[in-house]
Amino acid sequence: SAGGVPGVGALLCLDCEEKSSWLFSYAVQLAEAVVAYDSVTEEDEAEELEALIQVHAHARNWTSSLFTVVTAVGGANNSLRAIGVGSNAKARKRAALIALAATVRARGRPTALLEDPSMDGSFASFMHRVRGLFDGTPVPCARPEAAAPSSAWQPLRPFDDDRPP
């Protein structure tokens, strides 16, 4: 993959401006349905990622550069990580959980049937974009209103700890 192994060398980062919009209100449900884990750990402002997040936040005009890294503990997805950006802890955790679920789906074989907690195809549309990001072939959103809000859509990209942004 373009940025390394999803969830290990390449981390998906999702910005959440409004914790009740798009798929964010389904974050826990989606993570529990997709990610095989016993629990998750949360790390705010992980030092090894701070400079990278700051660069991306500035370049993409994110409303915040505060971030949380979630890591799956136990289960088949032990040690997978994802990043959530947002102005408060709840928004950051929701963004990170959705990014973690998307990372798990991106690591597996594409399936015709994806979870759809919002019942509007948002997760499938999002996964189309995420797979392109991890493969190194970014896919523009054909229907932004059915995917993520534009503010949350633009920042998505895998982060490679060994490559500059």
Side-chain angles (χ1 to χ4, degrees):
S1 74
V5 178
V8 181
L11 303 180
L12 188 62
C13 179
L14 180 60
D15 177 28
C16 175
E17 288 184 9
E18 175 51 53
K19 65 182 181 276
S20 299
S21 66
W22 187 58
L23 290 169
F24 297 119
S25 59
Y26 302 102
V28 172
Q29 175 188 351
L30 193 55
E32 287 176 351
V34 174
V35 185
Y37 62 80
D38 296 330
S39 63
V40 294
T41 60
E42 299 173 44
E43 181 182 3
D44 291 326
E45 308 296 316
E47 196 172 304
E48 76 275 11
L49 296 171
E50 193 162 0
L52 185 61
I53 296 293
Q54 295 296 327
V55 168
H56 284 284
H58 179 72
R60 290 175 175 80
N61 295 315
W62 293 348
T63 58
S64 176
S65 60
L66 299 174
F67 68 97
T68 297
V69 178
V70 295
T71 304
V73 177
N77 296 299
N78 187 52
S79 300
L80 285 186
R81 301 186 315 158
I83 303 168
V85 174
S87 61
N88 64 59
K90 188 178 238 181
R92 291 190 299 272
K93 183 173 182 181
R94 287 181 178 186
L97 287 174
I98 291 172
L100 189 62
T103 297
V104 168
R105 284 290 173 245
R107 291 170 57 95
R109 287 183 299 194
T111 61
L113 183 60
L114 283 172
E115 296 73 16
D116 190 13
S118 59
M119 299 180 59
D120 64 2
S122 291
F123 191 60
S125 180
F126 178 61
M127 283 308 308
H128 183 66
R129 167 92 175 170
V130 168
R131 282 193 180 97
L133 290 169
F134 280 126
D135 291 341
T137 54
V139 178
C141 179
R143 293 180 40 226
E145 69 280 359
S150 61
S151 59
W153 199 244
Q154 296 303 316
L156 282 177
R157 77 173 252 149
F159 289 102
D160 185 336
D161 295 342
D162 299 323
R163 268 189 357 199

